[in-house]
Amino acid sequence: MVEILCFCGSLRQPSYNRAALEATQMLAPDGLNLRMAELGSLPLFNPDLEGPAEVAALAHAMAHADGLLIASPEYAHGISSVLKNALDWLVSDENFPEMPVALINTSPRASHAMAALREVLKTMSANIVEPAYVTLPLLGSALNAVGIAENPKLAKMLQKMLDELKIEIRENPRLSAVQKREV
Ligand SMILES: Cc1cc2nc3c(=O)[nH]c(=O)nc-3n(C[C@H](O)[C@H](O)[C@H](O)COP(=O)(O)O)c2cc1C
């Protein structure tokens, strides 16, 4: 089983980003498991804090992940604080470098946050899987997860994104969590 850890940068209950991730979960083929990380319960990043339980749980999930899938809103041309806080906690996580990352942008106009997110991920030595980057025109659509999964055009885009991520995980020379489990 290939394990994908999902990061949602929005805490809003009817979030388009969460809906896109949940739709992707519904569309995942056999052999691919998508799990949502609980970023909203993380404490604010403080390097003085040692081992908060929520951070340990995130690190544990990272250790078992073969790839990441991130969907996050743009706020004031920046990354959401929820996502940035999680990434700050993961800066020194040994499993982050070379981690294959797929990205969902739920708003075509939100280019600033995506650029900033890419810069942060690059700085953290993640492997941004370009063919697994997808922009979905969800803003203002009123679609929920089921509506996205049942929309043939959107579903096809998400399925292709997962296929590309899966290919990268299979071909990546990094010792992935899949390979670690097989050793
Ligand atoms: C405080 C605030 C600031 C926002 N700033 C931007 C922005 O700079 N650029 C943009 O494209 N959208 C902006 N938006 C719109 C959000 O990105 C949009 O509502 C998005 O759907 C929120 O994500 P969610 O649906 O997953 O909660 C802003 C929304 C809020 C509430």
Side-chain angles (χ1 to χ4, degrees), residues 10 12 15-18 73-77 107 109-110 139:
S10 173
R12 236 165 44 90
S15 156
Y16 286 117
N17 287 282
R18 185 165 294 274
E74 174 168 299
Y75 290 144
H77 285 188
S107 168
R109 75 175 192 204
L139 195 63

Side-chain angles (χ1 to χ4, degrees), residues 35-172:
R35 180 176 161 199
M36 201 73 76
E38 285 310 320
L39 306 187
S41 57
L42 291 170
L44 286 177
F45 178 66
N46 179 349
D48 290 344
L49 296 179
E50 276 184 26
E54 298 86 351
V55 177
L58 180 62
H60 184 262
M62 283 293 296
H64 289 81
D66 301 298
L68 291 183
L69 173 56
I70 302 177
S72 184
E74 174 168 299
Y75 290 144
H77 285 188
I79 308 173
S80 81
S81 53
V82 174
L83 178 60
K84 186 62 169 68
N85 186 51
L87 293 173
D88 285 348
W89 277 116
L90 292 171
V91 162
S92 52
D93 188 296
E94 61 175 359
N95 292 299
F96 206 93
E98 306 306 324
M99 178 69 81
V101 181
L103 298 167
I104 297 177
N105 188 353
T106 57
S107 168
R109 75 175 192 204
S111 57
H112 299 278
M114 188 47 70
L117 175 58
R118 283 169 175 278
E119 180 63 23
V120 172
L121 293 172
K122 247 181 0 188
T123 304
M124 292 171 69
S125 303
N127 169 14
I128 301 172
V129 184
E130 286 305 335
Y133 167 56
V134 68
T135 299
L136 307 174
L138 295 185
L139 195 63
S141 70
L143 286 172
N144 61 14
V146 173
I148 296 167
E150 289 180 348
N151 179 303
K153 200 172 152 199
L154 298 174
K156 201 171 160 191
M157 291 166 86
L158 290 171
Q159 280 162 334
K160 181 175 178 301
M161 181 264 298
L162 284 180
D163 287 345
E164 298 289 355
L165 180 59
K166 206 171 159 184
I167 290 168
E168 177 64 21
I169 289 167
R170 284 274 143 80
E171 293 180 354
N172 198 323

